[in-house]
């Protein structure tokens, strides 16, 4: 980590006159987020068989903060200053976004909670030792928003760049009435062996998700949160097939069978498997 400032829950450390530091001369690297592979050696053979992989741990950082010495003030904290830092970093209402202000990584966010201990020197608080624990094994970009008008002859094409082979669960707002579906398909290239006589490189479409609505009322915005499997704007839950929209790495084609225009807004974050 080369950052000296970070952004958490709407405020920067520098807003409090603070900076990232180390009291022992070295800042630890982030830990956790490893991929665990499930492999087994077949009896009588030398090769191992791959059965799958999982991300079973989250990312954790250990670093310290102190007052920025460039401010030429008292390097120790008063009890009122300590109270303000505790109120900012210690949360009881869940994970909050953390962003390190490091060149080249400004667009990477993590959802974390903090544990902190006052770092005292000679009985006075000179800073705080922090442990930030994320809710995931990787980070995310800032929110990406795509707005479009689609119909049966006008799809929406999304280019998704994800570092993880997993589905992205977006937040979707659309405005339409009647009976229609919203389908996402991804371009897939056929897996052709290198020396195969087959030279067909035609791409094909693979269904990723299909959301079906029946009998939607006029002028009723429908809001779907695929991450939490919640939907708003329906007067009858039977008008929805309860299949939420999903996005995948690569080219996603959002289509519909509606002859009328559908205004759609898709908000999502792309996974980033990086360590700061």
């Amino acid at each position: 980590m080369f950052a000296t400032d970070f952004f958490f829950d709407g405020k920067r450390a520098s807003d409090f006159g603070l900076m990232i530091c180390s009291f022992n001369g070295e800042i630890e690297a982030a830990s956790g987020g490893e991929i665990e592979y499930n492999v087994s050696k077949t009896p009588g053979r030398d090769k191992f068989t791959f059965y799958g992989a999982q991300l079973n741990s989250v990312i954790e950082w250990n670093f310290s903060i102190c007052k920025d010495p460039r401010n030429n003030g008292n390097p120790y904290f008063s009890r009122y200053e300590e109270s303000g830092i505790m109120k900012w970093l210690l949360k009881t209402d869940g994970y909050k976004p953390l962003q390190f202000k490091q060149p080249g990584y400004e667009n990477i966010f993590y959802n974390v909670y903090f544990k902190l201990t006052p770092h005292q020197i000679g009985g006075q608080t000179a800073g705080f030792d922090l442990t930030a624990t994320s809710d995931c094994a990787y980070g995310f970009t800032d929110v990406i928003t795509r707005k479009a008008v689609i119909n049966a002859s006008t799809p929406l094409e999304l280019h998704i760049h994800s570092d993880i082979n997993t589905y992205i669960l977006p937040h979707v707002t659309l405005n339409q009435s009647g009976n229609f579906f919203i389908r996402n398909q991804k371009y897939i290239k056929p897996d052709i062996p290198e020396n195969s006589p087959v030279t067909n490189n035609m791409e094909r479409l693979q269904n990723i998700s299909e959301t079906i609505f029946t009998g939607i009322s006029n002028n009723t915005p429908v809001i779907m949160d695929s991450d939490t499997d919640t939907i708003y704007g329906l007067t009858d839950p039977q008008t929805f097939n309860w299949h939420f929209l999903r996005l995948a790495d690569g080219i996603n084609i959002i289509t519909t069978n509606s002859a009328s225009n559908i205004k759609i807004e898709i908000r999502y974050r792309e996974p980033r498997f990086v360590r700061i």
Side-chain angles (χ1 to χ4, degrees):
M1 182 191 299
F2 296 101
T4 58
D5 197 4
F6 66 93
F7 182 90
F8 177 71
D9 193 26
K11 297 179 181 178
R12 294 177 175 85
S14 56
D15 295 338
F16 296 86
L18 306 174
M19 64 178 295
I20 297 174
C21 70
S22 173
F23 291 105
N24 59 13
E26 182 178 352
I27 296 179
E28 299 180 21
S31 61
E34 300 90 355
I35 300 176
E36 296 183 8
Y37 296 94
N38 183 13
V39 298
S40 178
K41 186 176 182 299
T42 304
R45 297 187 180 183
D46 295 330
K47 293 179 63 177
F48 281 73
T49 301
F50 177 79
Y51 292 102
Q54 291 183 327
L55 293 164
N56 289 330
S57 64
V58 298
I59 308 175
E60 191 172 86
W61 296 263
N62 290 289
F63 60 95
S64 301
I65 55 174
C66 66
K67 287 187 177 181
D68 191 335
R70 293 172 294 185
N71 295 333
N72 296 318
N74 185 350
Y76 297 104
F77 290 79
S78 68
R79 67 182 183 91
Y80 299 104
E81 291 171 326
E82 284 194 55
S83 176
I85 302 304
M86 294 286 189
K87 183 177 180 180
W88 170 44
L89 294 179
L90 293 180
K91 301 298 182 183
T92 59
D93 56 348
Y95 295 92
K96 302 297 178 181
L98 168 68
Q99 176 193 23
F100 291 101
K101 304 297 289 184
Q102 182 166 314
Y105 296 87
E106 295 90 344
N107 195 35
I108 307 297
F109 292 80
Y110 305 89
N111 294 316
V112 308
Y113 64 81
F114 274 106
K115 295 180 180 179
L116 66 156
T117 304
H119 190 102
Q120 295 192 336
I121 299 176
Q124 299 186 79
T125 299
F128 297 86
D129 298 318
L130 310 181
T131 298
T133 303
S134 71
D135 66 345
C136 192
Y138 45 85
F140 300 87
T141 66
D142 201 353
V143 176
I144 300 170
T145 302
R146 290 292 307 274
K147 297 181 180 180
V149 176
I150 63 175
N151 54 48
S153 60
T154 307
L156 168 63
E157 184 173 302
L158 296 178
H159 292 252
I160 305 295
H161 172 65
S162 174
D163 293 348
I164 305 297
N165 184 23
T166 187
Y167 290 116
I168 295 174
L169 305 176
H171 184 280
V172 181
T173 302
L174 54 90
N175 201 326
Q176 180 56 296
S177 60
N179 306 326
F180 60 94
F181 66 71
I182 303 292
R183 177 186 296 154
N184 181 28
Q185 296 175 301
K186 176 186 173 183
Y187 275 120
I188 302 292
K189 288 186 177 181
D191 187 12
I192 300 176
E194 182 177 354
N195 299 323
S196 172
V198 179
T199 59
N200 180 11
N201 291 322
M202 293 290 292
E203 293 180 325
R204 60 183 176 87
L205 288 173
Q206 178 187 51
N207 284 344
I208 300 300
S209 59
E210 184 174 274
T211 301
I212 300 175
F213 295 96
T214 56
I216 300 298
S217 303
N218 290 328
N219 301 318
T220 302
V222 174
I223 301 173
M224 294 186 294
D225 189 341
S226 300
D227 188 37
T228 59
D229 287 341
T230 54
I231 187 167
Y232 306 93
L234 298 181
T235 56
D236 183 356
Q238 300 299 321
T239 60
F240 177 51
N241 70 337
W242 293 94
H243 290 175
F244 289 84
L245 190 68
R246 300 185 299 180
L247 306 177
D249 184 43
I251 301 176
N252 293 246
I253 309 297
I254 311 298
T255 61
T256 181
N257 62 341
S258 174
S260 303
N261 290 337
I262 298 177
K263 293 182 179 179
I264 186 170
E265 177 184 287
I266 303 177
R267 301 172 67 243
Y268 60 94
R269 295 177 184 263
E270 294 179 342
R272 291 292 180 264
F273 200 60
V274 297
R275 300 288 186 273
I276 299 178

